[in-house]
Protein backbone atom coordinates (compact mmCIF):
# COMPACT_ATOMS: atom_id res chain seq x y z
CA UNK A 1 0.00 0.00 0.00
CA UNK A 2 2.87 2.36 0.79
CA UNK A 3 4.32 1.81 -2.69
CA UNK A 4 1.02 2.82 -4.28
CA UNK A 5 0.87 6.05 -2.26
CA UNK A 6 4.49 6.84 -3.09
CA UNK A 7 3.97 6.18 -6.80
CA UNK A 8 0.83 8.35 -6.83
CA UNK A 9 2.57 11.18 -5.00
CA UNK A 10 5.52 11.12 -7.38
CA UNK A 11 3.24 10.97 -10.41
CA UNK A 12 1.09 13.93 -9.31
CA UNK A 13 4.02 16.12 -8.28
CA UNK A 14 5.57 15.56 -11.70
CA UNK A 15 2.41 16.80 -13.38
CA UNK A 16 2.28 20.02 -11.35
CA UNK A 17 5.96 20.74 -11.95
CA UNK A 18 5.43 21.29 -15.67
CA UNK A 19 4.81 24.93 -16.61
CA UNK A 20 1.49 25.93 -18.16
CA UNK A 21 1.45 27.33 -21.73
CA UNK A 22 0.91 30.94 -20.59
CA UNK A 23 3.87 30.85 -18.20
CA UNK A 24 5.97 29.06 -20.78
CA UNK A 25 5.64 31.99 -23.21
CA UNK A 26 6.75 34.49 -20.51
CA UNK A 27 9.94 32.63 -19.61
CA UNK A 28 13.27 33.08 -21.38
CA UNK A 29 14.27 30.21 -23.67
CA UNK A 30 16.55 28.63 -21.05
CA UNK A 31 13.74 28.28 -18.47
CA UNK A 32 10.81 27.38 -20.72
CA UNK A 33 8.79 24.43 -19.53
CA UNK A 34 10.45 24.38 -16.11
CA UNK A 35 9.03 27.23 -14.00
CA UNK A 36 5.76 29.11 -13.54
CA UNK A 37 5.29 32.84 -13.29
CA UNK A 38 7.09 35.78 -14.76
CA UNK A 39 10.65 35.42 -15.91
CA UNK A 40 13.69 37.01 -14.29
CA UNK A 41 13.58 40.81 -14.13
CA UNK A 42 17.25 41.46 -14.85
CA UNK A 43 20.66 39.87 -15.22
CA UNK A 44 21.16 40.24 -11.48
CA UNK A 45 18.61 37.50 -10.90
CA UNK A 46 20.80 35.00 -12.76
CA UNK A 47 23.92 36.16 -10.90
CA UNK A 48 22.20 35.78 -7.53
CA UNK A 49 20.87 32.31 -8.34
CA UNK A 50 24.24 31.03 -9.62
CA UNK A 51 26.03 32.50 -6.59
CA UNK A 52 23.66 30.61 -4.28
CA UNK A 53 24.15 27.40 -6.29
CA UNK A 54 27.91 27.73 -5.82
CA UNK A 55 27.53 28.40 -2.08
CA UNK A 56 25.26 25.37 -1.62
CA UNK A 57 27.56 23.06 -3.60
CA UNK A 58 30.63 24.24 -1.68
CA UNK A 59 28.93 23.76 1.67
CA UNK A 60 27.72 20.31 0.63
CA UNK A 61 31.19 19.32 -0.53
CA UNK A 62 32.90 20.55 2.63
CA UNK A 63 30.33 18.93 4.90
CA UNK A 64 30.72 15.56 3.17
CA UNK A 65 34.50 15.85 3.21
CA UNK A 66 34.62 16.66 6.93
CA UNK A 67 32.10 13.96 7.75
CA UNK A 68 34.10 11.28 5.92
CA UNK A 69 37.57 12.49 6.98
CA UNK A 70 37.09 14.57 10.12
CA UNK A 71 40.79 15.08 10.80
CA UNK A 72 40.30 14.78 14.53
CA UNK A 73 42.82 12.49 16.22
CA UNK A 74 41.15 12.13 19.62
CA UNK A 75 39.10 8.97 20.18
CA UNK A 76 36.70 10.93 22.39
CA UNK A 77 35.83 13.53 19.76
CA UNK A 78 32.14 13.65 18.85
CA UNK A 79 32.76 12.92 15.16
CA UNK A 80 34.70 9.75 15.81
CA UNK A 81 32.12 8.61 18.35
CA UNK A 82 29.33 9.02 15.76
CA UNK A 83 31.25 7.49 12.84
CA UNK A 84 32.55 4.49 14.78
CA UNK A 85 29.24 3.75 16.51
CA UNK A 86 27.72 0.89 14.54
Amino acid sequence: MKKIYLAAALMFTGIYAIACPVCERQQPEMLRGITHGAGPDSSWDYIIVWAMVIVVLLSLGFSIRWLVRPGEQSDKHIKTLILNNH
Side-chain angles (χ1 to χ4, degrees):
M1 194 66 168
K2 289 181 183 179
K3 290 181 183 180
I4 294 173
Y5 289 137
L6 179 62
L10 291 175
M11 192 168 50
F12 290 125
T13 56
I15 291 171
Y16 291 118
I18 300 170
C20 63
V22 175
C23 294
E24 194 170 318
R25 285 187 294 249
Q26 295 176 356
Q27 293 293 332
E29 190 173 329
M30 180 174 45
L31 298 173
R32 283 196 183 139
I34 298 173
T35 59
H36 284 282
D41 292 332
S42 68
S43 298
W44 284 104
D45 293 339
Y46 292 113
I47 294 170
I48 292 168
V49 168
W50 281 110
M52 291 302 105
V53 167
I54 291 169
V55 167
V56 168
L57 290 176
L58 282 173
S59 64
L60 176 66
F62 282 121
S63 63
I64 290 173
R65 184 223 180 260
W66 284 321
L67 182 65
V68 173
R69 301 181 84 187
E72 308 296 340
Q73 302 301 324
S74 173
D75 290 336
K76 294 185 180 187
H77 194 273
I78 186 71
K79 292 179 187 175
T80 55
L81 288 174
I82 292 171
L83 291 174
N84 292 334
N85 189 10
H86 300 286

